[in-house]
Structure formats: C-alpha cells, structure tokens
Amino acid sequence: CNSTHMTADASIAAVKDLSKTCIAHSSQPHGRCWWTHVPSAVASATDGRKVPLVIDMHGGGGCAAHEVGMGVGSGFKELADTEAAKAGGGMIVVFPQGGSIDAQKTGIWASCGSDCLTAKGQAAKSAKGGQMADWDDIGFLEQLIANMVKSSPHKGKIDAERIYMTGFSNGCMMAHRFAMERSKMVAALGCHGGELNMVGTNVKTEMDSEKATHNIQPMPCYLTMGKNDNFLANTMIDWRTWSYWNGCTSEATTSLTSDLVEHVATSCATYTPALETAVLEIKGVGHKPDSRTAGKIWNF
C-alpha cells in the first residue's frame, strides 16, 4: 500500500469490501482516489434517514488502508457500524488517499492549505529542501464532498449540514486546515496526533487575522493526543487558538480516568448544542494511531 493509487487494493483486506472512487484532479497528475464505507444498516434503511459524512485521513507516508484498519486503524469504520444499528443513526465514512511528492514520498497531505504557495509556505518548503507537499488538497477535499453529496450512489443518504473532518498525524493536520479554511462546509473537527499547520499562535492579533482571512465560523473541536507525543505542545496552542475562534472564555481540566486527561474550553459562542473546544491527553502513548479516540471524538 505504498502506492498513491493503492493499485493492489483488491488484495488489501482492510479495503477490499469498500467501494473505490477515483477522479481527475489537478492536485496530482494521476488523479485522486478514496474508499467509502457505508454500513449495511444505512444502505438498507427505508426510514428516510440522512447521516453525517466523516472524512478520515491517514497519516503522512501511509495510505487509506492504514486508516481503515490495516494495523491499528482509526476506529471510525467499526464505529459507523455500531452507530448505524441505533434508530435513525449511523454515518458514512470516506478514507481518501494522500498525494505524492515523488516515488519515495507518497501518501502526503498538503496541510499548508492556501499558505502553500505564499512566501511563508515556500520558505517552509525551502527549509525542507523542497520536500514539502504544496498541491491543492483543499480543492480535492471540496470536490470529494461535492461528489459524495451530489452525485455518488449514496447522495440521498448524506446530510450536507453534517460534514465532519478527522484523521491521524498529517491527516489530522489536513483536517485542521480544511476546517479552518472551509468552516462553512464543516460541522465539526475531531482528530488525533496532529497540529494546525502554519498557524501555531495564541497572539490575538494573529488569530484575528487568520479568522478574518478565512471567515472562520464556530464549530465543535475535539483534539486527541498521546501525552508522550512531540506534537502535544503544539496541540495545546491549537486548542487555545480554536477556543479563541470559538469565542470560549472559560477553561477546565478533568482527569477522566488514570490515563485520560481532558482540557475543555466552555462559555463559547452561541451554538446549539452548547459549543465546547477540547483536548484529550492519553498518558503513556506517543505518536501512533489509537482507535479508542473515535468514540471520544464522535460522542463529543
């Protein structure tokens, strides 16, 4: 599964039962693909239910099959089946494939977003020896959503008002960035092990500038991170950035269990249900996927 197209996907157990969609897109010369999981209870439902669309992105250097469950997995495929068994419940989950810098660097997300081609983005690329994704993944994800909502076989079952972004590591970074730049399209952000790339500030004037530039709208935000993950410090900055954009004015920290600590910002902008912004720290865990986070993110 080291190919951008996962050309051997028929032999990969994690995705062999999922439908595959590929489109032409300028972000990569060979186009882009994603795999869709529709729980049987959602596919066969006759109650007129419309369910959320969850976009779940793999980590850098990986592929969609990793996020589905080749290895640990994100847990969202299994969670979708569990939720679909509830009256009127469920979700449709898509697992898109990242792009390629070259034959050795595949499965990458351009999480710099609209900053990729700015002076700031190009300086960051130069600092990495030119090895940084700078294609249009924002546009790719917009097209993926449009395809799923308007023209896919499942279009009548998707609630366009409930598009949720998630992912791991570089995929989490891309989820952050898309939610920030396209907040009118996104109902909520919840992801694991990644930061908001090329923002990284709690300076009010800088956060105000980003908010004005992208017209950032309030949304629920739940970030999860291993206590031993090197991204934790940046994630705490991102939590306060999202809290600021969400208009939150109070913070509290709670030990949920011996290994789970939750930081929650409340008293936020007017929103129904009440809006919160949170970080979940998982003690004893470094930078790796954790399928336990799917339920925490979903229930938030």
Side-chain angles (χ1 to χ4, degrees):
C1 121
N2 60 356
S3 164
T4 299
H5 265 88
M6 283 170 53
T7 50
D9 57 287
S11 66
I12 299 174
V15 298
K16 68 182 180 65
D17 295 326
L18 275 61
S19 62
K20 179 181 179 181
T21 304
C22 294
I23 60 172
H25 194 268
S26 60
S27 60
Q28 292 282 284
H30 42 63
R32 304 298 293 271
C33 299
W34 65 86
W35 287 257
T36 303
H37 175 60
V38 182
S40 58
V42 171
S44 62
T46 58
D47 55 8
R49 76 178 72 175
K50 288 200 171 197
V51 300
L53 175 66
V54 176
I55 300 173
D56 189 355
M57 291 174 279
H58 62 79
C63 62
H66 291 134
E67 201 70 1
V68 177
M70 191 175 80
V72 176
S74 68
F76 270 98
K77 179 178 180 290
E78 295 77 11
L79 182 64
D81 292 333
T82 299
E83 291 294 318
K86 301 176 182 178
M91 69 187 89
I92 290 173
V93 189
V94 295
F95 300 92
Q97 178 66 27
S100 298
I101 295 175
D102 55 34
Q104 284 72 47
K105 294 181 175 61
T106 65
I108 308 297
W109 298 102
S111 58
C112 43
S114 61
D115 278 330
C116 287
L117 298 180
T118 65
K120 180 169 67 172
Q122 290 301 295
K125 183 176 181 178
S126 178
K128 294 184 177 183
Q131 298 296 296
M132 187 181 86
D134 61 2
W135 50 77
D136 183 17
D137 271 334
I138 297 287
F140 164 55
L141 292 171
E142 285 182 309
Q143 194 167 336
L144 181 159
I145 292 169
N147 181 287
M148 291 298 299
V149 172
K150 296 180 179 179
S151 61
S152 77
H154 319 297
K155 62 181 181 179
K157 292 187 177 294
I158 294 173
D159 183 351
E161 298 297 316
R162 291 188 289 168
I163 307 295
Y164 300 145
M165 306 302 297
T166 191
F168 168 64
S169 191
N170 185 213
C172 178
M173 294 176 187
M174 193 67 231
H176 266 289
R177 191 76 201 198
F178 190 84
M180 181 186 78
E181 294 201 26
R182 296 293 185 270
S183 59
K184 288 187 176 181
M185 298 179 67
V186 178
L189 164 68
C191 65
H192 179 62
E195 63 180 321
L196 175 54
N197 202 7
M198 302 197 76
V199 178
T201 180
N202 290 147
V203 177
K204 288 185 178 181
T205 54
E206 295 174 354
M207 292 188 292
D208 285 338
S209 177
E210 294 283 1
K211 185 174 183 178
T213 297
H214 301 295
N215 191 22
I216 301 169
Q217 304 298 305
M219 72 176 72
C221 177
Y222 196 79
L223 311 176
T224 64
M225 183 69 64
K227 179 72 172 177
N228 300 332
D229 194 320
N230 290 335
F231 284 113
L232 178 59
N234 290 342
T235 296
M236 296 305 293
I237 293 173
D238 296 337
W239 168 54
R240 290 194 166 91
T241 300
W242 280 106
S243 297
Y244 181 77
W245 289 336
N246 281 338
C248 307
T249 58
S250 298
E251 295 180 3
T253 297
T254 304
S255 293
L256 303 179
T257 65
S258 60
D259 62 345
L260 299 177
V261 176
E262 191 174 69
H263 310 276
V264 182
T266 57
S267 301
C268 307
T270 302
Y271 196 92
T272 303
L275 183 63
E276 294 182 339
T277 309
V279 173
L280 180 72
E281 287 184 44
I282 309 170
K283 294 181 180 179
V285 173
H287 189 68
K288 64 179 183 179
D290 192 324
S291 60
R292 295 175 298 173
T293 62
K296 290 287 186 183
I297 290 169
W298 181 253
N299 291 329
F300 184 74

